[in-house]
Amino acid sequence: MSCCSCSAMAFLLKAPSFLPPLNQKLNYTHKSFSPINLQSKFYHASVRNGRWNVPSMTIKAQAAVEGDVLLDEESICVNEESDYGVVCMHHVGILCENLERSLDFYQNVLGLKINEARPHNKLPYRGAWLWVGSEMIHLMELPNPDPLTGRPQHGGRDRHTCIAIRDVSKLKAIFDKAGIAYTLSHSGRPAIFTRDPDANALEFTQVDD
């Protein structure tokens, strides 16, 4: 084995400096939690088919809330080979029966703008791309395999698209003026649910700056 290979193996088998030895308990006291015990388990590096398998690490933490019996266990797995680089949600595809009717709702009621940079003639069906912050909604004029009737009255109990907004009360006033039905969050948080002309459920949840 070459010196480079030996150095690589020594590096991979060395535990990160920020973690304690396996036989040492790490106690961290929070004002509302009892001490948390962290147990770390390392899986040693090995060579398979001429390739290095980078060791993965699993950390399990148990936190007991004072006055409660319930224990919360969380597992965090770090594996560089499976990290394919998630960045953000790019767009959500929404089916519609009539593109003009849907655009009237999404543009004139919700105030969304069309992304003119996206091509509209590259696909074998009509559609439009609408900006939602830095992400998009892709309206697609295609047959809808889902039933339009018999769906839950509250969109929060149906599959739905959630959009973060600044002021739920202003959107509620817009819906009231346009005569659009809606429901509010059952949990009491500032969120409002409605459906587009094709019964696709939409949630608008209020977020802070």
Side-chain angles (χ1 to χ4, degrees):
M1 183 179 296
S2 66
C3 293
C4 292
S5 299
C6 292
S7 299
M9 178 178 290
F11 173 78
L12 290 172
L13 294 179
K14 182 180 179 181
S17 59
F18 63 86
L19 289 172
L22 297 182
N23 59 356
Q24 177 182 340
K25 290 185 177 180
L26 177 63
N27 293 323
Y28 170 75
T29 303
H30 189 277
K31 62 181 180 180
S32 60
F33 290 87
S34 61
I36 298 175
N37 294 324
L38 296 180
Q39 292 180 331
S40 303
K41 183 177 182 180
F42 293 91
Y43 297 91
H44 295 291
S46 61
V47 179
R48 295 179 183 175
N49 299 325
R51 293 183 57 193
W52 280 102
N53 293 313
V54 180
S56 61
M57 176 181 66
T58 301
I59 300 176
K60 293 184 177 180
Q62 288 186 332
V65 181
E66 290 181 355
D68 292 337
V69 181
L70 182 64
L71 291 178
D72 181 29
E73 182 175 298
E74 181 181 1
S75 296
I76 304 173
C77 295
V78 179
N79 191 333
E80 294 181 0
E81 288 188 354
S82 64
D83 180 10
Y84 52 90
V86 173
V87 177
C88 67
M89 185 75 72
H90 184 271
H91 72 273
V92 174
I94 294 181
L95 300 179
C96 64
E97 182 181 13
N98 183 278
L99 182 61
E100 285 72 26
R101 182 181 66 177
S102 294
L103 284 175
D104 180 59
F105 172 78
Y106 283 93
Q107 286 186 284
N108 299 331
V109 177
L110 298 183
L112 303 184
K113 306 297 183 183
I114 289 182
N115 180 0
E116 299 292 352
R118 298 291 299 186
H120 301 291
N121 57 352
K122 300 294 185 180
L123 297 171
Y125 53 83
R126 299 204 306 152
W129 296 82
L130 299 163
W131 282 117
V132 183
S134 59
E135 285 73 46
M136 292 172 286
I137 284 177
H138 185 197
L139 292 177
M140 301 178 290
E141 190 180 85
L142 289 170
N144 193 338
D146 290 337
L148 301 182
T149 59
R151 308 196 71 83
Q153 180 182 7
H154 180 55
R157 294 181 177 271
D158 198 358
R159 50 182 169 271
H160 59 276
T161 299
C162 181
I163 299 174
I165 63 175
R166 298 297 184 198
D167 194 333
V168 164
S169 63
K170 286 186 178 180
L171 183 58
K172 180 177 177 294
I174 291 173
F175 287 162
D176 286 334
K177 184 177 180 179
I180 295 175
Y182 59 82
T183 56
L184 300 178
S185 173
H186 290 176
S187 66
R189 62 188 173 86
I192 189 169
F193 295 79
T194 191
R195 292 184 181 273
D196 72 0
D198 294 276
N200 296 302
L202 301 170
E203 175 186 355
F204 300 86
T205 185
Q206 184 170 306
V207 297
D208 298 327
D209 292 332

